[in-house]
Amino acid sequence: MADDKEREGTEIAVAEYHKKIKEAFEVFDHEANNTVDVREIGTIVRSLGCCPSEGQLHDLLAEVEEEEPTGYIRFEKFLPVMTKVLLERRYRPSPEDTLLRAFEVLDPSKRGFLTKEELIKYMTEEGEPFSQEEMEEMLSAAIDPESNSIHYKDYIAMMVVDDS
Amino acid sequence: MGSGTSTQHHFAFQNAENAFRAATLIQRWYRRYAARLEMRRHCTWRIFQSIEYAGQQDQVKLHDFFSYLVDHFTPSSNHERDFLNRMFTEERFPQDAEMEKLSDYESIEVPDSYTGPHLSFPLLPDHATALVEAFRLKQQLHARYVLNLLHETRKHLVQLPNINRVSTCYSEEVTVCGDLHGQLDDLIFIFYKNGLPSPERAYVFNGDFVDRGKDSVEILMVLFAFMLVYPKEFHLNRGNHEDHMVNLRYGFTKEVMRKYKTHGKKILKILQDVFCWLPLATLVDEKVLILHGGVSDMTDLELLAKLDRHKIVSTLRRKTRENEKPATTQKKATPPSCAGRPTPWFLPQSRSLPASPLRLGSCGAPRAGRSSSIPCSGPADAEELARRVRRSGDLEMDRCRQQAGFLGSRAQGELLLVTPEADSDADEPPEPTQEEWKQVVDILWSDPMAQEGCKANTVRGGGCYFGPNVTEQLLQKYNLQFLIRSHECKPEGYEFCHSRKVLTIFSASNYYEVGSNRGAYVKLGPALTPYIVQYQANKATHMLTMRQRISRVEESALRSLREKLFAHSSHLLGEFKKHDADKTGFISLSDWAEAVESVVRLGLPWRMLRPQLVSSSMDNTLEYKSWLEDLAKGQLSHENIQSSLLETLYRNRSNLETIFRIIDSDHSGFISLDEFRQTWKLFSSHMNIDITDDCICDLARSIDFNKDGHIDINEFLEAFRLVEQSCTEGDTSDCPQATNTKGSGCSKPGTP
């Protein structure tokens, strides 16, 4: 009895996930032929609530690409993989305070901010480096032009509001 | 632990690792944030586009409505019959002689108080430059000069071939610009950044100069002026908006009448003609074909070069020779209800009549026709009756048009019906053939698609979708290198497709909303390599971060979307109820998404948009009635009127406005209460809207603020918050946008 209910619950969840995935996919399916450019997969996956690293994304791509990569990802391949990701709750985003602590690691003297140069250095040299475009975009929103620094607590708060 | 150095090492390593991990976390998190922004941007774009194209579909539906009117409506009284007849009588399409008279600008005095630019002909380059400068300073050109310029423009255009040729031997560079849609700022910016036109700097403007933006008149003046000054180097292609029928709906007609209250009608009449004389395409070095929309698998450049382009008055509707032979069905791209329907005068058509013989008939004896005929009113002057009796069907239409003075084609030796209103025959070209008309529609309305093949463009209602093979076929057939077209707004202002064989160039930046897209133009040198320049003619956007830009545009799109949803409230309620068999008042969010799509049919990602549209939902369910009420609260202003009526009016408001403008044949901006009632009755009978006469009367009377028996169109629309601020502030276009009631400014309608 409980098993049936659980199965039914999962079925409903799966059906709903399917619809969500399909919607997100279709936004980038410009040619209306159930394919998207491989470069958009990251956006699609992330907009469905996941927060993979670039490395994890790369692994995911390997699962959905054709044997001979065409530059396009087909929906038939994407759907089951992505459904599994959602069901397993893979690549969950970190909570806000983890993010705050990450900034604090980079700001060991606990000033409450990072200078523009420091931010650039960390984001473009450490971890999975930003492209120039990504860096510029982050700077334009994050940097307080007067102090030329990023007050990360405020920044996080602002981004979180937008996200919800 | 261990020795000092290895501890240091250890910590250093730890720190490095920590920094690495911290950075990764931040980057991961930022990328997700950016992706969500990107998704929002795409969704917003989809909203705008789907609403825009749905609007264009509406226009086709509107024409269906008029055809339906002609076929099926049986006036139930003299009154209604007269009204219908009034709709069918209109001034003749001006002939050449009259055209001279119309452009009789010499009699128009320019007062001493006029501080705007003066023009003298023949135009010199300095005049054209001065014109740009004057418009930049927000001056307005006097009607006399407008008419003079249009007159000269027409003279010039008549000499041009359908397909113009430009060579990079003479002009070192050719700059091609796309849609401008009345956005003067963009044109000024292009000239500023790229340089003014000159013999060394050729320009091609690829259609859609007017509509939507607020400075269509000024754009035309500038473009025409430069064309007269540099006839060999400055070229214009016709777009689908260079069309008086389209202008009725999309704002250009309104703009002209607002700026030129006295002479606007004359100006519009000449423009109607000028638009028909615009060339259809431009060829650069015989290698690059530039045209507004696209091509089809039937596109025949030789035919296009030969046909009389002036016959194509509007691409929206072509009068068909139903009486002669069945319309040859070109399988693609014929607007759905085009074939075999009679066309009332107010729908675009060529000037001449079909070749069918006409019979006046006696004083209105009901004729057995396709649809029910009109009961005869009784004894009346035979001639009068002959003029007033309406018979449905093809013959009747022709007769009405004949009465209105359209001329037959003497060249084909038909019987010419002479009525008091008919005039002497001028050299009337035969109307375009179905083939010719379709060729022109295709190049003005088509869009490229990624799949191979060629299929009807159902979204726009005209032209086709053409695939890479169609492009390839055309390029090979005529030995061309690539195609430049416009017609579609692109986020970056341009887009390549079909393996870079097709370039879309769109020059109206911030088209949907401030920050929505860039504009672009393309330059070609002797090597014909396209060099693209992008811009965004609004300083404000540069200051905003991407996030802010997206938010602004998104908010605008969502506003439009909420409006649209509100307009379908009754249907939505019906759909929701279907998902709520147990009558709990709640439905799941999933059902909500399905229901909404099935009603509005915009093909939007509703689940993604849901957080923006549904503010309150508990554990994945929604109390739909209160959601609808919330929607209404955001839109309603007028408690007196039944909300269903309001909703219906709202849903049909752009159609209504167009209809009003058509009825208001002298463009006075006023229609009588009676006309309003009649209009609404006709409209509602077609749309199967169930609204009583009394209700309409009440509505009409309540809107007649000064009780003089006339309704100002603007007043009417204003009463329902339907008028954009553009009417008084000269701002935006005719895109649906919720506005704030200027409650204090306008008088509230009295209680009925």
Side-chain angles (χ1 to χ4, degrees), chain B residues 273-445:
Chain B
D273 205 41
V274 167
F275 283 162
C276 303
W277 276 116
L278 284 170
L280 301 172
T282 303
L283 203 49
V284 180
D285 289 352
E286 303 294 320
K287 285 286 166 207
V288 180
L289 181 61
I290 308 173
L291 35 73
H292 179 73
V295 296
S296 77
D297 56 355
M298 307 289 283
T299 295
D300 181 346
L301 290 184
E302 280 128 4
L303 177 53
L304 279 168
K306 273 196 327 232
L307 59 81
D308 180 357
R309 67 182 188 271
H310 189 218
K311 293 186 294 192
I312 318 273
V313 174
S314 165
T315 47
L316 279 183
R317 280 297 236 194
R318 178 197 159 259
K319 212 183 67 54
T320 55
R321 295 175 176 265
E322 328 78 13
N323 300 317
E324 279 194 328
K325 57 188 173 207
T328 40
T329 29
Q330 303 287 328
K331 46 189 157 15
K332 302 167 197 62
T334 335
S337 34
C338 175
R341 291 271 217 158
T343 317
W345 68 263
F346 41 70
L347 294 182
Q349 57 216 330
S350 64
R351 293 131 126 230
S352 59
L353 285 173
S356 54
L358 300 170
R359 295 184 295 277
L360 229 195
S362 51
C363 64
R367 184 180 285 257
R370 228 186 314 141
S371 26
S372 45
S373 47
I374 301 164
C376 200
S377 67
D381 177 47
E383 193 190 89
E384 171 77 12
L385 209 57
R387 270 199 286 126
R388 283 162 156 253
V389 163
R390 172 196 171 269
R391 298 189 192 97
S392 59
D394 309 345
L395 294 179
E396 170 60 18
M397 277 320 307
D398 301 339
R399 202 179 66 74
C400 283
R401 237 177 281 108
Q402 184 101 103
Q403 277 187 320
F406 287 80
L407 306 171
S409 169
R410 197 166 270 174
Q412 303 192 9
E414 273 86 41
L415 224 61
L416 245 203
L417 195 64
V418 179
T419 72
E421 284 155 276
D423 210 340
S424 60
D425 192 11
D427 273 38
E428 205 46 56
E431 59 178 43
T433 64
Q434 171 79 345
E435 168 73 41
E436 288 172 337
W437 180 78
K438 187 188 173 300
Q439 289 280 335
V440 176
V441 169
D442 281 346
I443 64 172
L444 258 40
W445 285 83

